[in-house]
Amino acid sequence: MEKKVALITGITGQDGSYLAEFLIEKGYEVHGLMRRSSSFNTARIEHLYLDEWVRDMKKARLVNLHWADMTDSSSLIRVISKIRPTEIYNLAAQSHVKVSFDVPEYTADTDANGVLRLLEAVRIAGLADTCRIYQASTSELYGKVQEVPQSETTPFYPRSPYAVAKLYGFWIMKNYRESYNMFCCNGILFNHESERRGETFVTRKITLAAARIAQGYQDKLYLGNLNSLRDWGYAKDYIECMWLILQQPEPDDFVIATGEYHTVREFATLAFKEVGIELEWRGDGVNEHGIIKSISQELSTINSQLSIGQTLVEVDPKYFRPAEVDQLLGNPAKAKAKLGWNPQKTSFEDLVKIMVQHDMKFVKKLFLKAHMDDAQ
């Protein structure tokens, strides 16, 4: 059987790194796209290529990286024509919703036109009949939700430049599927987090803050809308679903979600509980704040500066979106039935625990290194 060749755009991101690991274990030849930057952004995948590169440049690598950009069609055509992938996973995007309001044109060029460039590159390379393509769609498409929960048939109502750009990506995939009979699929993924999530995303921001506060390196955590409801899953579980979508006999679109949702407030409460702090919430709206209700004995010995009644979480209006998305709740029934996928392999509580435990170690290691550098 001919070896499968996968191309992952956005391979240096959270999802891309997990997907690369997953496909390598499946025996794929894995390739990824990298944007040129003056600083390295490959931390999530260094374990897949750096050690081999340092030891022997002639050795076959676990993952092969190529310079390209979703805003540059020539680079996409060059890479796809060269490696001739059997599967493409388009995970590349300007993926921060709040930032998309600040850079709407770039977001559109990458997240909307980038999908079109990718599809055309596949056609130009003569792979329209042989290459299967997965597009990372998003629950933000539903925006101002028209029904709860949201399924594959729920009308879209995007509420950010990011969501509007992703809407174009969703529909151009369907258009090429119907126009050229290409194997194009959309995975409408609801919020999926992990210990590899970027530090500016609210979940990782919370778990890092809880770890820093517990160890005495941060005083407060500032958040936006505490009432926002999100369907949060574990990114590592969702990667399997991306792969399953491209293994089906016919191309189709799927909602990927857990089927339950929680508020930002709940996430923060669980994160602080994991480090040994029980929060109590007081006030409402912009005046709501989280104070220390109790501290575990173990944490008291680590950080004696914490005290009952101390405010640890406050609301800062600068984190509000110009157009808010109040709730997102996915219906994973189709994915469960057709793909045989378990949407709750990792529970919400376990997800928070995984992230906090990682960040407790991460923060400790970071500040130990800083102290060692100062000592030198």
Side-chain angles (χ1 to χ4, degrees), residues 146-306:
Q146 304 299 292
E147 65 179 5
V148 180
Q150 294 89 54
S151 71
E152 292 81 3
T153 59
T154 301
F156 297 134
Y157 197 133
R159 297 267 283 173
S160 67
Y162 166 74
V164 173
K166 281 288 190 176
L167 185 64
Y168 178 90
F170 177 91
W171 281 109
I172 200 65
M173 286 289 285
K174 289 178 74 77
N175 180 256
Y176 271 57
R177 183 166 76 205
E178 295 170 359
S179 301
Y180 303 113
N181 199 32
M182 293 173 66
F183 200 104
C184 298
C185 305
N186 288 291
I188 308 173
L189 271 68
F190 280 64
N191 294 66
H192 47 293
E193 316 299 320
S194 77
E195 59 272 36
R196 296 183 188 177
R197 177 54 104 178
E199 296 179 14
T200 59
F201 288 81
V202 68
T203 50
R204 188 79 196 287
K205 180 180 175 181
I206 291 170
T207 58
L208 272 171
R212 288 176 179 142
I213 289 171
Q215 297 178 56
Y217 300 117
Q218 185 172 329
D219 297 324
K220 287 182 183 179
L221 166 63
Y222 295 92
L223 296 171
N225 184 3
L226 295 172
N227 294 314
S228 288
L229 283 158
R230 292 294 183 271
D231 186 327
W232 276 303
Y234 189 29
K236 201 169 183 178
D237 297 340
Y238 283 36
I239 295 309
E240 180 187 16
C241 215
M242 297 179 184
W243 176 76
L244 286 170
I245 288 173
L246 290 195
Q247 310 315 307
Q248 302 308 299
E250 298 295 334
D252 204 352
D253 305 321
F254 293 86
V255 162
I256 310 303
T258 69
E260 63 175 53
Y261 56 9
H262 303 270
T263 63
V264 172
R265 187 186 298 101
E266 287 180 79
F267 198 105
T269 300
L270 274 179
F272 278 93
K273 184 178 180 181
E274 185 61 32
V275 302
I277 298 172
E278 184 178 356
L279 289 179
E280 179 181 331
W281 298 92
R282 294 182 180 177
D284 54 58
V286 295
N287 297 314
E288 186 172 1
H289 55 284
I291 66 169
I292 299 178
K293 183 178 180 181
S294 66
I295 308 169
S296 71
Q297 187 173 354
E298 181 182 358
L299 182 58
S300 295
T301 61
I302 297 173
N303 186 356
S304 60
Q305 301 301 311
L306 297 171

Side-chain angles (χ1 to χ4, degrees), residues 3-7 28-31 83-88:
K3 190 172 186 177
K4 290 186 176 181
V5 179
L7 173 63
Y28 280 66
E29 179 184 314
V30 177
H31 296 260
I83 68 174
R84 305 191 70 78
T86 54
E87 294 177 7
I88 294 178

Side-chain angles (χ1 to χ4, degrees), residues 11-82:
I11 195 172
T12 59
Q14 169 190 253
D15 293 2
S17 63
Y18 282 127
L19 181 60
E21 292 171 344
F22 180 88
L23 294 177
I24 287 168
E25 289 180 5
K26 292 285 185 184
Y28 280 66
E29 179 184 314
V30 177
H31 296 260
L33 300 187
M34 277 184 56
R35 282 182 298 125
R36 169 72 182 111
S37 174
S38 59
S39 58
F40 290 109
N41 63 343
T42 56
R44 296 183 181 97
I45 58 170
E46 280 181 356
H47 62 292
L48 298 178
Y49 81 94
L50 186 60
D51 185 51
E52 292 165 353
W53 180 77
V54 170
R55 284 189 284 114
D56 186 355
M57 289 186 69
K58 295 181 180 179
K59 182 177 178 179
R61 301 185 191 180
L62 293 176
V63 62
N64 305 276
L65 301 178
H66 307 268
W67 297 115
D69 197 297
M70 298 302 291
T71 64
D72 176 23
S73 58
S74 64
S75 65
L76 296 176
I77 295 168
R78 173 179 52 80
V79 173
I80 290 172
S81 297
K82 178 182 178 182

